[in-house]
Amino acid sequence: MFTLGHILWGLTKTSFGGVVGEGHRPRDSVALNDVLDEYRHKNDVFRKIHDIINQEMDKGLSKARNKDATVKMFVTYVQSLPDGTETGDYLALDLGGTNFRVLLITLKGSKVEMKNKIYPISHELMIGKGEQLFDHIADCIANFMKDHDLMTKTLPLGFTFSFPCRQEGLAVGRLVRWTKGFCCAGVEGEDVVGLLQEAIARRKDINVECVALLNDTVGCLMSCAFHDHNTRVGVILGTGTNACYVENLDKVELWDGDHLGPNQVVINTEWGAFGDNGCIDFVRTAADRRIDAESINPGKQIYEKMISGMYMGEIARLVIVECAEKGLLFKGILSDELKEAHRFHTKYVSEIEKDFMKGGNSEQTREILDELGMPDATIEDCQGVQEICRVVSERAAYLASAGIAALLNRMKLPAVTVAVDGSLYRFHPHFHDLMMKMTTELIEKDCKVKMMLSEDGSGRGAALVAAVAHRMRVARSSVSSES
């Protein structure tokens, strides 16, 4: 794995605090610096953002102030993490788009065996009656169980439901609104677990109980916690961004459950909405404001729009366009492709960053610019685009780090593993190193942090939540019978 040291090896500082290959400084670097300055910040700025998001998290946990909070800090009702004693077979259901998965997870000590099958959801089901959708899901569960000789078994199920829900218990969650092209009638405002159980009951041939409802962030945390028991934070850095962490119940004023279990609960921060109240406007740029204004949800998900993969490529494109219009790149001439909104994909940023790591190599950059109708780009143009992608990437990683550091400092633990999933983190060549650098800078010095890539949180993680819920239920039953 490349480290920050590899990135900086053999490179030289430019006048604007970045690094480019020796002898490959982009033309008019001082002028380019003027454009990029608003994306580059000293550590004190990220420390200020850390402090602000921590205050917003306090507001979200407060019963009196939650209504006005942008970082909602939803209670997930997940109180225990895997401890290695979970065994047996568990089903998982992963629904979040036009396909969904049914999984069978078998836990054997430290080993996890997984079988899964993907089932399509037709457009007719996406816009039809809710009862029809859940009947289809129940049919697919039954089909899967028959294929794996599970029809006579009683199996707990974990349900990853990637739509906005208001949870009222570990296995109770009401759909707030449909997204992603779904608009099934009779589901919004209803308990989706209840609708699933009713559909299963209508079949009368399978015995499955949904014991946990979760989102992908909690699944990310649980999947890593199975292997690393220091895992206390889950972060998604993909098309969107979100985080969850383990909080002390004494700090959760909205807790309405009992106090028979551990004195902790996983909190789903929904931190993508951080900044919706204007509290981080001081670091937003003209590109940030334009992307927000032209989005389908203006004024919403401000933090997410500055970090996530859905927007990073467009931020870079807008900076490239600004530099070209000022005559700093491509002799002021842009192709139709580069003028097209969202045409410069975030995957291009990751690929161009690989060139930057090679100390001025421009192979990937040239291929991408050629694909975007700019075959005559000079080495200076390539280096300028590389610097733009580097600065935009660095800002995103450091903004995410401010949020992660706030969570770590809230928990005050000596060692914490942060589980991370999402395409941005997976495929960007040094997002991990940048995050480690700034997170380490912002956390208390007596805390040791490690970041780990999570594997299949929406599938394996869902089954693990079900396994832990089953373990806790058995433990409670034993205590009740003894008393």
Side-chain angles (χ1 to χ4, degrees):
M1 178 180 288
F2 283 101
T3 65
L4 197 60
H6 287 107
I7 299 167
L8 300 178
W9 180 79
L11 303 177
T12 181
K13 283 276 187 178
T14 71
S15 61
F16 45 89
V19 287
V20 295
E22 189 87 52
H24 295 294
R25 181 174 299 183
R27 69 163 66 91
D28 297 322
S29 61
V30 174
L32 184 61
N33 173 40
D34 292 339
V35 176
L36 293 177
D37 265 352
E38 62 177 344
Y39 294 87
R40 302 179 57 84
H41 306 290
K42 294 181 179 179
N43 290 354
D44 286 348
V45 172
F46 295 105
R47 189 167 287 109
K48 180 177 180 181
I49 293 170
H50 161 282
D51 294 344
I52 296 172
I53 196 171
N54 188 53
Q55 293 168 7
E56 293 297 308
M57 288 174 180
D58 282 339
K59 187 186 297 184
L61 291 173
S62 166
K63 183 178 293 186
R65 298 186 292 162
N66 176 268
K67 183 180 179 180
D68 299 322
T70 54
V71 183
K72 285 298 185 182
M73 308 294 275
F74 290 125
V75 174
T76 68
Y77 297 89
V78 175
Q79 290 187 262
S80 293
L81 305 182
D83 64 5
T85 65
E86 295 82 11
T87 59
D89 294 331
Y90 300 89
L91 288 175
L93 182 62
D94 177 15
L95 175 63
T98 54
N99 294 313
F100 75 99
R101 288 188 301 161
V102 181
L103 304 95
L104 172 65
I105 305 291
T106 302
L107 304 178
K108 297 178 179 179
S110 62
K111 294 183 179 180
V112 179
E113 295 179 0
M114 182 172 71
K115 300 174 182 177
N116 72 94
K117 185 174 181 179
I118 297 173
Y119 295 90
I121 297 179
S122 68
H123 180 67
E124 289 74 20
L125 285 171
M126 291 172 65
I127 63 174
K129 294 181 179 179
E131 183 175 303
Q132 293 173 325
L133 173 66
F134 283 96
D135 280 344
H136 174 67
I137 293 171
D139 290 347
C140 293
I141 293 173
N143 172 270
F144 182 86
M145 292 180 69
K146 183 177 181 180
D147 287 347
H148 294 87
D149 297 322
L150 300 171
M151 296 298 284
T152 60
K153 286 195 173 185
T154 300
L155 294 174
L157 179 142
F159 187 8
T160 299
F161 187 73
S162 299
F163 299 91
C165 274
R166 183 178 296 104
Q167 278 196 248
E168 298 173 2
L170 182 59
V172 181
R174 299 186 183 278
L175 176 66
V176 176
R177 64 183 178 281
W178 282 116
T179 57
K180 307 175 187 179
F182 282 74
C183 56
C184 299
V187 183
E188 291 185 355
E190 299 296 323
D191 172 23
V192 295
V193 174
L195 294 176
L196 175 63
Q197 290 293 164
E198 289 171 5
I200 290 171
R202 281 193 289 272
R203 290 191 56 86
K204 300 179 180 179
D205 62 348
I206 56 175
N207 194 358
V208 174
E209 180 187 7
C210 182
V211 297
L213 179 72
L214 64 150
N215 68 9
D216 55 356
T217 313
V218 177
C220 169
L221 172 95
M222 298 295 279
S223 186
C224 271
F226 183 75
H227 299 289
D228 185 331
H229 296 330
N230 284 332
T231 306
R232 292 293 183 276
V233 178
V235 178
I236 300 295
L237 289 165
T239 304
T241 184
N242 192 18
C244 67
Y245 75 109
V246 180
E247 181 60 276
N248 191 305
L249 274 185
D250 298 335
K251 299 179 181 178
V252 185
E253 294 183 8
L254 293 174
W255 176 252
D256 57 1
D258 60 44
H259 290 267
L260 300 177
N263 190 42
Q264 63 182 28
V265 67
V266 176
I267 296 294
N268 168 26
T269 67
E270 290 294 342
W271 76 8
F274 173 50
D276 287 4
N277 59 359
C279 64
I280 54 173
D281 281 356
F282 65 95
V283 290
R284 294 176 70 200
T285 66
D288 294 324
R289 296 177 190 279
R290 178 172 173 177
I291 285 172
D292 177 49
E294 295 176 355
S295 70
I296 61 172
N297 55 344
K300 304 294 183 183
Q301 302 296 106
I302 297 300
Y303 190 55
E304 180 171 85
K305 290 171 182 172
M306 298 172 74
I307 294 174
S308 74
M310 179 175 282
Y311 307 99
M312 181 185 287
E314 180 65 1
I315 293 172
R317 188 192 72 84
L318 289 173
V319 178
I320 291 169
V321 169
E322 180 182 354
C323 289
E325 289 175 344
K326 292 181 177 180
L328 304 176
L329 290 174
F330 312 122
K331 298 179 181 179
I333 301 172
L334 284 171
S335 64
D336 290 340
E337 289 88 342
L338 273 175
K339 292 177 183 177
E340 182 182 339
H342 301 285
R343 184 65 177 81
F344 194 90
H345 307 305
T346 297
K347 69 176 182 179
Y348 293 159
V349 178
S350 296
E351 292 298 320
I352 288 171
E353 283 284 73
K354 291 176 183 177
D355 271 354
F356 193 87
M357 292 173 68
K358 297 174 184 176
N361 185 297
S362 298
E363 181 180 351
Q364 294 281 356
T365 309
R366 284 188 178 281
E367 286 186 11
I368 289 167
L369 290 176
D370 185 62
E371 183 180 333
L372 293 171
M374 303 295 294
D376 299 323
T378 65
I379 184 64
E380 289 85 0
D381 292 328
C382 290
Q383 291 292 335
V385 170
Q386 287 174 7
E387 179 66 5
I388 290 167
C389 290
R390 187 187 71 83
V391 170
V392 169
S393 297
E394 182 181 82
R395 185 188 73 150
Y398 288 177
L399 284 168
S401 301
I404 292 170
L407 297 178
L408 295 173
N409 288 337
R410 295 181 71 85
M411 292 185 289
K412 301 184 184 302
L413 296 173
V416 178
T417 297
V418 179
V420 192
D421 199 3
S423 55
L424 180 58
Y425 181 82
R426 282 176 176 268
F427 300 120
H428 192 289
H430 61 272
F431 218 77
H432 169 90
D433 295 315
L434 290 169
M435 287 171 58
M436 283 296 298
K437 177 177 180 286
M438 183 54 69
T439 301
T440 302
E441 178 69 30
L442 296 176
I443 60 176
E444 301 293 339
K445 300 308 176 187
D446 56 354
C447 175
K448 293 183 179 180
V449 61
K450 179 172 75 172
M451 294 186 188
M452 174 188 291
L453 179 64
S454 180
E455 297 291 342
D456 194 17
S458 59
R460 182 187 303 179
L464 286 167
V465 174
V468 171
H470 180 69
R471 168 170 60 81
M472 296 297 293
R473 179 182 294 184
V474 170
R476 288 190 180 188
S477 297
S478 298
V479 172
S480 298
S481 60
E482 291 174 2
S483 58

